[in-house]
Amino acid sequence: MENAIEVVNLVKSYSGKNVVDGISFNVKKGMIFALLGPNGAGKTTTIEIVECLRPLTSGSVRVLGYNVGDRRDEQEIKRRIGIMPQEFRALDKLSVRENIELFSRLYPYHSSSKDVDEVIRAFGLEEYSNVRFERLSGGIRQRLGLAIATIHDPEILFLDEPTTGLDPTSRRQVWAMIRALKDSGKTVVLTSHYMEEVEYLADEVAIMSKGRIVASGSPQDIASRYGTGRRLTIRGYSRSRLLASLANSSNTLGDTLTLSMDRLDSMLIAEIVDMAIRDGLEVQFKNPSLEDAFLRLVGRIDEDGRLIING
Amino acid sequence: MKMDINSHLVAVASLARALLLDWLRSKTGAFFTILFPIMLMVMLTLAFNDDLNRLDLYVQNLDLDHDGMPTETSSSLIKLLSSSMLNIKHIPADVDAYEYVKYSTNKRVLIIPYGFDASIRAKSMEARMAVMLSTLDLFIERSWVQDGVRTSMISGMEGLQRELALRNGDKTASGGNATNAPPALARLLLIVDSSKDREYERVEGILASIVAMLQQSTIDAPDILRMEVKDVSTTERANYYLPSVLAAFIMTNGVLGTSGIVADFKRRGMLKRLMSTPLSRLQWIIANMMAQTILALILASVMVCIAVIALNTTLPNAISMVVLAIGALCFTGLGMLIAGALKDPHAITGASNAIAFPMMFLSGTFWPIGSMHEYMQSIAYALPLTYFIDALNASMYQSSILALQSTSMLALFAIVFVTLGSYLTRWKQE
Ligand SMILES: Nc1ncnc2c1ncn2[C@@H]1O[C@H](COP(=O)(O)OP(=O)(O)OP(=O)(O)O)[C@@H](O)[C@H]1O
Ligand SMILES: [Mg+2]
């Protein structure tokens, strides 16, 4: 399959500090590619260099065969990509329709009003079409952001944290729209903090930490390579004397005991589960997950549930 | 390629329209564009047209004797004036009354010239003698007058005429060279500016009746005293503040409006969103200029309408509309320049306020530049708003030729600002 984006040894530095530190990746046409990473990892910086919004310090980036950094090529790239920035905002006093119309006219061979209607319908914005942007809820704003990003029928879509701040229902609606975009043949590049989002949507993931890509591949691939294997977790373990005897500082977090199933024989597992259930504790089996891989790659969670980044 | 140009135009026009709508629909936008100008015009008009000083009359008495004391006749004239409806105020003899009237509102000055007292005295003596002579004439022509009497009367009349000539000769000889010239008519000079003074006709009427009274009380003969009215107005009946307030508004609107929009767009990520489309830096700049120019013309129309309806001014001509548009371009350019030179949105807002407001006060918006301190004047002539006010004043109420020089200066500023502004505007992030 052909590459839509090719990034080689990309470096971006601000006052001598490399916030993107020599990363390389390819995005194949027609797939959903996710950059996953904690705050400050360099996701937005990377994506905005690819979008021709920030100059790069060194390395090379090609989008649809055009060179980022070449003025003429950048103009071609801009015509062929659609973006939704982190914290997207449109013109406050303009309605949904007016905002879509505005953006549609910024592209050469701009879309007709029929296309505008179609986009409004596709993103379920009919009932909001005359509502001013400032009165829209977060979920509708994100949908409008998506609608605007697709108004000129771009080949690649860049979505920077498309579901941050949305409730679970709105998030699922946005996911469905992103899936539909992929189904219509578009390449999608998204950034996210959410493991389940990436697991659900992405064909390929690159995990970023401190300006570097620490792992890449399909979500399942990463999970099994860097994840912790199958595990058993028991909440409230300290209420059972036997379970408490199995605990140490490395396999407990708060009142939860996590046991790696690969290292225990099945008889012992059965016994532990039996005991825990009789004591009325909450027992869970977990398959290797992207979240585990992510945590192992970029840091760990402390007692208060905060992410501590490695190093 | 042709298609391409067309789509560029569509892009610019759509963006300009969106910018305009976004601004006009916001409460601050509506306030600054429509309500604020109305308020300011009303305030200025009220402040300078209040009833208290409506019938003020400034008197400058130049008719002083050797000791610098007012002469007797001039003092009694002033007493007479004070007893009328007019509120008399004095201005010193060394003030240029013309400038005084020209650069203030609702001020008129009555000048009592040097030699007023002397002329009145000479004129009334002449008038008395003339009456006497004509009475004697009547007698001489009567047939019943005996010849001897007639002869002596004629010789007496000749003596009187000599005496009259001598008196006039004395008076004029002491002041100059002319002898035997008839005594000069006593004059009063009223200086007004009809374009700003809405009550000057009333004041003039009151003064005329006082002068007539004075004539009659002196002697029952006409033409010993005349009042002349000198109108220093160079403009049509207009609102003195209209051009400067208009200019100041278009300036603040251009500078604060443009830099405000750019700062806001930066803050909200909207600028970034626009940069990611094929829209070019130049198109962004042109769209802003279009929006601001249209806004300026709306602003100007609102203010002119108020001035025409409420203040009875004349309608500005097409040339002044061109001047308005150049001014709008100039100050939008300055706004773009500020927004381009600074990165931080707060810094942009701060800097544009720090530039716009001092400029408003230093460029003669509220008071004439001529009345400012000398080095303040040199600052004023380095500011674009000064030329804008000047050009607008000239094009609205004087002649388009007079407006040409200031308009050229304004256009020069516009070119510099727009060029620098587009040079400094970055169409990429850091
Ligand atoms: N214009 C800039 N000047 C200096 N430093 C910058 C600039 N932009 C970003 N950075 C720094 O680069 C690093 C990466 O930022 P970036 O926004 O790319 O992270 P991110 O992965 O998108 O984070 P988040 O998940 O919070 O959006 C951060 O440490 C940030 O402070
Ligand atoms: Mg980010």
Side-chain angles (χ1 to χ4, degrees):
Chain A
M1 213 189 275
E2 215 183 320
N3 284 332
I5 299 170
E6 292 169 354
V7 174
V8 182
N9 284 328
L10 177 64
V11 174
K12 173 71 183 177
S13 62
Y14 285 117
S15 40
K17 186 173 174 285
N18 288 0
V19 301
V20 174
D21 197 8
I23 63 172
S24 303
F25 62 88
N26 292 333
V27 178
K28 294 193 191 77
K29 273 192 181 159
M31 66 158 45
I32 298 183
F33 178 86
L35 276 175
L36 183 63
N39 291 124
K43 306 181 295 294
T44 299
T45 307
T46 304
I47 204 171
E48 288 190 353
I49 290 169
V50 181
E51 291 163 353
C52 312
L53 287 178
R54 305 192 198 188
L56 49 80
T57 305
S58 68
S60 87
V61 179
R62 285 173 73 77
V63 178
L64 298 168
Y66 296 102
N67 278 316
V68 171
D70 178 291
R71 273 192 59 174
R72 267 163 199 264
D73 279 13
E74 285 194 351
Q75 206 61 16
E76 287 300 322
I77 295 171
K78 284 181 177 181
R79 290 181 187 197
R80 289 170 165 78
I81 64 170
I83 78 159
M84 183 163 90
Q86 195 169 355
E87 287 160 17
F88 166 77
R89 287 187 70 98
L91 286 177
D92 266 344
K93 306 286 168 188
L94 263 52
S95 68
V96 165
R97 167 172 273 280
E98 286 168 330
N99 268 302
I100 296 175
E101 276 170 352
L102 166 65
F103 278 93
S104 80
R105 291 185 181 138
L106 300 182
Y107 291 89
Y109 316 108
H110 61 88
S111 347
S112 64
S113 66
K114 198 171 127 264
D115 299 327
V116 173
D117 286 335
E118 208 165 278
V119 166
I120 288 177
R121 207 170 324 112
F123 289 89
L125 292 166
E126 294 100 322
E127 59 175 304
Y128 306 99
S129 103
N130 292 319
V131 180
R132 290 185 187 179
F133 180 79
E134 60 184 351
R135 308 221 175 98
L136 298 176
S137 70
I140 307 300
R141 287 181 182 194
Q142 290 304 84
R143 278 200 245 162
L144 173 62
L146 280 175
I148 288 175
T150 58
I151 183 66
H152 57 294
D153 196 23
E155 292 169 50
I156 311 176
L157 280 152
F158 293 89
L159 313 174
D160 198 355
E161 298 190 16
T163 65
T164 299
L166 299 190
D167 67 35
T169 319
S170 308
R171 170 167 301 153
R172 258 152 254 276
Q173 285 173 342
V174 171
W175 287 354
M177 289 166 188
I178 295 172
R179 271 279 175 88
L181 289 171
K182 177 195 153 101
D183 293 342
S184 68
K186 311 222 174 289
T187 310
V188 179
V189 176
L190 60 87
T191 74
S192 184
H193 297 290
Y194 302 112
M195 312 302 152
E196 47 168 347
E197 177 166 297
V198 172
E199 270 179 325
Y200 177 75
L201 288 175
D203 300 307
E204 278 247 19
V205 191
I207 295 181
M208 270 191 95
S209 176
K210 294 179 179 168
R212 290 171 177 276
I213 291 178
V214 291
S216 61
S218 71
Q220 298 72 26
D221 198 26
I222 293 178
S224 57
R225 249 193 298 153
Y226 302 97
T228 37
R230 299 194 330 127
R231 287 154 311 143
L232 174 66
T233 66
I234 301 160
R235 269 177 72 178
Y237 73 92
S238 56
R239 277 184 265 157
S240 153
R241 196 176 285 202
L242 182 81
L243 289 177
S245 71
L246 292 170
N248 60 48
S249 65
S250 66
N251 65 6
T252 55
L253 180 63
D255 204 19
T256 303
L257 175 70
T258 305
L259 299 170
S260 171
M261 289 168 67
D262 305 338
R263 293 197 221 128
L264 302 171
D265 74 54
S266 49
M267 288 300 288
L268 184 56
I269 293 171
E271 222 170 293
I272 290 170
V273 170
D274 187 48
M275 197 160 23
I277 288 171
R278 257 188 285 127
D279 288 347
L281 306 179
E282 189 186 316
V283 180
Q284 268 190 316
F285 291 99
K286 285 189 172 169
N287 281 329
S289 73
L290 188 61
E291 180 155 9
D292 297 323
F294 180 79
L295 292 180
R296 284 185 59 181
L297 285 162
V298 307
R300 63 190 169 81
I301 303 278
D302 71 4
E303 279 84 5
D304 299 327
R306 277 191 301 249
L307 176 68
I308 309 285
I309 295 167
N310 285 335
Chain B
M1 231 38 234
K2 203 173 171 212
M3 180 65 204
D4 235 34
I5 287 164
N6 198 17
S7 68
H8 283 317
L9 291 179
V10 170
V12 170
S14 306
L15 183 58
R17 178 178 169 274
L19 289 170
L20 202 59
L21 276 183
D22 197 40
W23 174 248
L24 285 176
R25 282 180 189 172
S26 70
K27 286 196 184 71
T28 33
F31 178 73
F32 275 109
T33 314
I34 295 163
L35 277 172
F36 197 37
I38 296 179
M39 273 169 50
L40 198 85
M41 292 282 285
V42 169
M43 265 163 51
L44 281 175
T45 311
L46 288 181
F48 292 97
N49 277 347
D50 64 324
D51 281 11
L52 284 175
N53 60 22
R54 237 194 343 198
L55 293 182
D56 281 354
L57 178 66
Y58 288 80
V59 174
Q60 187 179 44
N61 191 356
L62 301 178
D63 194 26
L64 307 173
D65 63 19
H66 297 298
D67 305 324
M69 296 302 289
T71 57
E72 208 185 310
T73 323
S74 66
S75 305
S76 42
L77 172 67
I78 291 171
K79 247 181 230 146
L80 195 61
L81 292 172
S82 305
S83 67
S84 73
M85 291 168 71
L86 299 170
N87 181 23
I88 302 300
K89 296 176 176 180
H90 296 273
I91 56 172
D94 56 355
V95 168
D96 184 342
Y98 286 89
E99 293 283 301
Y100 200 74
V101 172
K102 213 167 184 166
Y103 294 120
S104 55
T105 306
N106 278 6
K107 283 189 180 163
R108 4 35 218 174
V109 176
L110 182 72
I111 298 181
I112 305 175
Y114 177 74
F116 176 73
D117 179 88
S119 306
I120 291 271
R121 281 174 199 279
K123 264 293 180 188
S124 52
M125 181 59 81
E126 182 192 29
R128 262 178 244 270
M129 287 184 182
V131 170
M132 228 189 261
L133 281 170
S134 64
T135 314
L136 287 174
D137 248 4
L138 276 174
F139 269 109
I140 290 163
E141 271 151 38
R142 293 288 173 269
S143 52
W144 44 264
V145 176
Q146 290 172 358
D147 281 351
V149 178
R150 182 175 288 138
T151 320
S152 66
M153 276 173 89
I154 287 173
S155 73
M157 277 169 72
E158 278 165 2
L160 211 58
Q161 269 162 341
R162 264 198 309 279
E163 170 69 20
L164 193 60
L166 209 66
R167 270 183 170 278
N168 291 339
D170 275 353
K171 285 288 169 206
T172 40
S174 68
N177 41 18
T179 39
N180 281 353
L185 207 62
R187 283 170 208 279
L188 287 170
L189 187 58
L190 176 66
I191 305 171
V192 297
D193 184 342
S194 62
S195 66
K196 297 180 294 186
D197 190 345
R198 314 212 298 148
E199 296 293 342
Y200 86 96
E201 278 158 329
R202 246 178 100 192
V203 173
E204 193 187 329
I206 294 169
L207 279 175
S209 64
I210 290 172
V211 166
M213 245 164 69
L214 206 72
Q215 292 231 106
Q216 249 139 41
S217 73
T218 313
I219 188 159
D220 193 11
D223 276 353
I224 61 165
L225 174 61
R226 184 173 293 167
M227 183 180 71
E228 282 168 14
V229 180
K230 172 90 180 140
D231 189 349
V232 297
S233 160
T234 45
T235 65
E236 293 171 55
R237 181 172 278 268
N239 186 322
Y240 173 66
Y241 287 99
L242 185 60
S244 39
V245 170
L246 212 51
F249 260 94
I250 286 164
M251 184 277 289
T252 46
N253 210 69
V255 174
L256 302 180
T258 310
S259 66
I261 286 176
V262 178
D264 191 45
F265 269 44
K266 269 191 186 173
R267 200 166 29 227
R268 292 193 300 176
M270 193 60 195
L271 196 60
K272 185 156 91 179
R273 186 64 188 80
L274 288 175
M275 284 180 200
S276 73
T277 70
L279 190 81
S280 70
R281 184 175 68 155
L282 193 64
Q283 285 177 306
W284 159 247
I285 290 166
I286 294 171
N288 267 288
M289 303 229 143
M290 266 173 70
Q292 288 299 328
T293 307
I294 292 168
L295 204 58
L297 294 179
I298 296 176
L299 190 72
S301 318
V302 171
M303 290 174 80
V304 166
C305 281
I306 301 161
V308 169
I309 295 166
L311 306 171
N312 203 19
T313 48
T314 47
L315 217 62
N317 50 20
I319 305 266
S320 45
M321 283 300 167
V322 175
V323 175
L324 279 175
I326 297 176
L329 285 179
C330 175
F331 294 107
T332 311
L334 181 56
M336 285 309 260
L337 174 58
I338 297 167
L342 300 168
K343 283 179 222 148
D344 180 43
H346 294 292
I348 294 173
T349 316
S352 42
N353 278 303
I355 288 171
F357 286 107
M359 175 147 68
M360 185 151 85
F361 290 101
L362 288 172
S363 300
T365 309
F366 300 116
W367 47 76
I369 289 181
S371 73
M372 294 188 338
H373 195 278
E374 210 164 296
Y375 82 80
M376 298 289 256
Q377 288 196 27
S378 55
I379 295 177
Y381 284 109
L383 298 173
L385 182 59
T386 306
Y387 298 97
F388 190 21
I389 292 176
D390 211 44
L392 216 49
N393 232 322
S395 65
M396 282 171 96
Y397 299 125
Q398 295 169 32
S399 80
S400 315
I401 301 294
L402 277 174
L404 202 63
Q405 197 187 347
S406 301
T407 309
S408 319
M409 277 304 286
L410 187 66
L412 197 68
F413 271 110
I415 291 167
V416 170
F417 289 154
V418 173
T419 312
L420 269 180
S422 20
Y423 177 75
L424 286 173
T425 300
R426 287 275 149 267
W427 205 236
K428 268 220 186 210
Q429 306 207 276
E430 282 283 285

